[in-house]
Amino acid sequence: QVQLVESGGGLVQAGGSLRLSCVASGRTFSRSVMGWFRQAPGKEREIVACITWSGGSTYYADSVKGRFTISRDNAKNTVYLQMNSLKPEDTAVYYCAGNYSPHEVIRLASYEYNYWGQGTQVTVSS
């Protein structure tokens, strides 16, 4: 059973930065496509960013492109989300998720992910 633990959320002013981390237990991390999702109150969960096993391919939602960077360190079983130039509309609970499969492809839909973290709150004040 793989467990994901997120950290790094908090309260920040608009224009500020935060770095989210997600540490995975187990041996499947290096063969897992990893994604960051977010869910704001009253809204559906949406993909923010995704990264393949090797980090060779990444995906960003249009709303965060140029501001957020996803990366991973397979030696540390950790995936990161660097968030810069934060906006109030980035306020949400951010979730880390993993897809363990033999196919190293970008995954955009939440149902494609096998395991999830508990979420970390990010609040951006104006």
Side-chain angles (χ1 to χ4, degrees):
Q1 184 74 14
V2 178
Q3 291 187 327
L4 300 176
V5 179
E6 300 106 331
S7 62
L11 173 63
V12 64
Q13 288 188 334
S17 299
L18 285 174
R19 187 194 197 201
L20 305 184
S21 299
C22 172
V23 180
S25 64
R27 301 179 180 180
T28 61
F29 180 81
S30 62
R31 286 295 181 265
S32 292
V33 171
M34 299 300 296
W36 284 98
F37 288 76
R38 68 186 181 186
Q39 188 166 18
K43 295 187 177 181
E44 293 189 354
R45 189 172 297 188
E46 62 176 356
I47 182 96
V48 174
C50 177
I51 188 167
T52 52
W53 304 341
S54 61
S57 294
T58 56
Y59 165 86
Y60 297 95
D62 287 343
S63 58
V64 307
K65 204 170 293 183
R67 301 187 297 121
F68 290 11
T69 303
I70 189 170
S71 61
R72 66 189 296 162
D73 185 338
N74 288 342
K76 295 182 179 181
N77 275 17
T78 303
V79 61
Y80 305 96
L81 186 68
Q82 178 66 44
M83 305 186 295
N84 298 328
S85 302
L86 282 161
K87 303 176 181 180
E89 51 263 43
D90 294 318
T91 295
V93 177
Y94 284 70
Y95 298 90
C96 169
N99 170 277
Y100 175 59
S101 83
H103 307 293
E104 187 181 12
V105 296
I106 292 293
R107 306 281 182 179
L108 300 185
S110 58
Y111 68 80
E112 297 184 276
Y113 287 81
N114 312 113
Y115 49 97
W116 293 78
Q118 81 289 351
T120 185
Q121 176 71 45
V122 171
T123 302
V124 184
S125 63
S126 57

